[in-house]
Amino acid sequence: MKAILITGGGSGIGRAVAARFSREGWRVGLADIDPAGLAATAALLPADRTSTHRMDVRDAGEWEHVLAEFVEGGDGRLDVLFNNAGIAAGGAFGDMPLDTLDRVLDVNFRGVAYGARLAYPYLKATPGSCLLNTASASAIYGSAGLAAYSATKFAVRGLTEALDGEWAADGIRVRSLMPGFIDTPLLSVAVDGGNRSARDTVVEAGLEFTPVETVADLAWDAVHGDRVHMLVGKTARRLAFAARWMPGRLRKMMRSPRR
Ligand code: NAD
């Protein structure tokens, strides 16, 4: 039976991707720092091929333990690691408390890099395996107002491209998801000096939310297709187009006080 381990499996995108792969008959491992979220996702899935693993992606020892527990608890396979846990932090970079900056860098990049590095032997031992990292549309052009977050997502993008090259010889495919806006708890993060949430700014700007089920379908396609980066949603596709053909306009937009 094919097996996927999902970080951030206790909420949002991770939960939807868990449901999608489970529906296809896969064994699903849910890893998250939030035990209530893990239980809520597990309740949606068949108990005989779902496992939950409480872990903090910032901790290499926890990664080693959970990877071994998940792979040895099944048929010894790791077909997909969905390296998806992430947090947002908005607001002016110049005012960001250093502990917030550390947390964003650690969860969004160190956690992803640890996952990739420590899952490597398991992925290498599983024919046709895939590492799927959740980047963001913020990895297409640096996002003013989300500078630290955006920078970590560029790092995830870079890691994805580098490992897609490096691990091709091992038969491991490496992919990223680049979602625009998905209506999950992550968008409750305060922006604009704490006056608004990221969700409010999406609504005010008249931008769309992509349904989480669409993200899950595209995660399935990303794992089974050949594209290194999977753009998710209209905003992501428009940003990618603008970054390629009208970077000056994007720069101007990022420099305007009200984006
Ligand atoms: P979410 O808040 O619904 O889910 C994130 C999950 O990650 C939560 O269950 C949380 O408990 C878990 N998590 C946080 N820190 C962790 C840690 N240290 N160790 C283990 N688990 C941890 O958000 P989501 O929207 O589903 O986000 C999933 C991924 O998608 C993130 O990487 C996010 O940056 C990315 N993303 C989201 C959007 C969006 O609009 N929602 C857009 C682009 C990219």
Side-chain angles (χ1 to χ4, degrees), residues 11 13 32-33 55-57 84 134 149 153 179-180 182 184-186:
S11 182
I13 293 173
D32 206 292
I33 203 169
M55 74 176 284
D56 185 333
V57 295
N84 165 72
T134 305
Y149 177 82
K153 295 302 186 178
I182 322 297
T184 70
L186 182 120

Side-chain angles (χ1 to χ4, degrees), residues 40-58:
T41 305
L44 306 170
L45 308 178
D48 58 338
R49 48 186 173 82
T50 305
S51 56
T52 57
H53 312 265
R54 189 172 175 181
M55 74 176 284
D56 185 333
V57 295
R58 294 171 292 183

Side-chain angles (χ1 to χ4, degrees), residues 7-15 31-34 37 55-58 83-88 107-108 134-138 149 153 177-187 209 212:
T7 67
S11 182
I13 293 173
R15 177 174 295 166
D32 206 292
I33 203 169
D34 171 17
M55 74 176 284
D56 185 333
V57 295
R58 294 171 292 183
N83 224 347
N84 165 72
I87 57 172
V107 176
N108 291 6
T134 305
S136 166
S138 268
Y149 177 82
K153 295 302 186 178
L177 287 183
M178 291 187 167
F181 301 110
I182 322 297
D183 197 359
T184 70
L186 182 120
L187 290 187
F209 293 110
V212 84

Side-chain angles (χ1 to χ4, degrees), residues 240-258:
F241 180 86
R244 180 159 186 194
W245 302 108
M246 326 177 242
R249 223 168 110 181
L250 267 184
R251 181 170 178 227
K252 196 168 159 200
M253 187 180 92
M254 292 301 172
R255 287 161 68 100
S256 72
R258 193 83 172 175

Side-chain angles (χ1 to χ4, degrees), residues 96-130:
M96 183 172 274
L98 285 184
D99 62 336
T100 305
L101 178 58
D102 281 342
R103 208 164 53 245
V104 175
L105 299 179
D106 284 348
V107 176
N108 291 6
F109 185 61
R110 188 185 301 278
V112 168
Y114 280 171
R117 172 63 189 88
L118 295 169
Y120 173 64
Y122 298 106
L123 292 169
K124 194 175 169 187
T126 309
S129 64
C130 178

